[in-house]
Amino acid sequence: MNTGFADLAQLAAAVRDCRRCPLAGLRTLAVPGEGPTQAEILLIGEGPGQQEDRQGRPFVGASGHLLQKLLAGVGLDRSQVFITNVVKCRPPNNRDPLPVELAACAPFLDNQVTLIDPLILITLGRFSLAHFLGPGARITQVHGRPTRLGDRLLLPMFHPAAALRNPQWQQALEADFAQLPGLLAAARRSRPPRPDNFTQLSLF
Ligand code: URA
């Protein structure tokens, strides 16, 4: 399912005004996501935390710092990728998003994927993984294993917040990120180049 917006700015405005689920009444700011409209890489987290809810931007707290470091490790700046979440409003006290909240928000994410049309989708954590691969996918088994989804690659990864709690997962996250330059090069070869003013990312 897809909300059917024709561009990302309209979609972001609708997210900011959204009242599709009870999280709308609890948020300070909704967090539609940010990045280039034709990003080659789309990263998808779980949901906004306290800092994100205050600022209306994704991954600006502790997890965001780690994410920025991981991106820098492969020669990327966060301004070169699109970053969003499965739910666009903060669940109270950072609890897990409820099925009704995930279902209400999913059409926005599907619309973002269609509009951005990335080569690589990176899911961060189990909720964004489940959005694409269903509830049976186990992150401990599939992280770092690229899967073809139509004409894109899905690369599941641990959530940076989990890696901050567990050094072993941080190592796994670094190893999974290290695959990105090779995967991006292969993905570009397997799909025709984008039209007009598109600028390719340069990675290490
Ligand atoms: N964790 C997430 O999943 N998303 C954010 O935007 C911040 C923290």
Side-chain angles (χ1 to χ4, degrees), residues 14-163:
V15 167
R16 289 190 192 100
D17 284 346
C18 178
R19 311 220 58 92
R20 287 173 174 239
C21 86
L23 290 181
L26 304 171
R27 71 183 178 225
T28 311
L29 293 173
V31 182
E34 63 187 25
T37 53
Q38 289 196 307
E40 291 182 290
I41 300 172
L42 172 58
L43 292 125
I44 305 146
E46 182 177 317
Q50 188 179 45
Q51 288 302 321
E52 291 78 17
D53 174 72
R54 283 184 185 157
Q55 297 184 39
R57 298 182 56 211
F59 281 96
V60 289
S63 297
H65 286 130
L66 176 56
L67 184 60
Q68 224 158 300
K69 214 173 90 183
L70 291 158
L71 287 166
V74 289
L76 282 173
D77 186 79
R78 65 175 281 155
S79 64
Q80 297 174 289
V81 296
F82 201 100
I83 307 177
T84 190
N85 286 300
V86 260
V87 293
K88 315 298 193 203
C89 296
R90 184 188 183 207
N93 302 314
N94 302 341
R95 63 150 167 75
D96 289 349
L98 302 175
V100 65
E101 296 156 1
L102 291 162
C105 228
F108 286 121
L109 177 58
D110 290 337
N111 202 165
Q112 286 174 314
V113 173
T114 305
L115 291 172
I116 298 163
D117 193 20
L119 291 171
I120 300 183
L121 291 166
I122 298 178
T123 54
L124 300 168
R126 64 197 163 100
F127 288 97
S128 51
L129 175 65
H131 178 87
F132 294 99
L133 294 191
R138 290 279 157 270
I139 196 160
T140 46
Q141 287 165 10
V142 301
H143 79 89
R145 293 194 188 177
T147 311
R148 196 147 269 296
L149 268 192
D151 65 349
R152 351 181 179 279
L153 281 184
L154 171 71
L155 182 59
M157 297 203 195
F158 285 114
H159 194 288

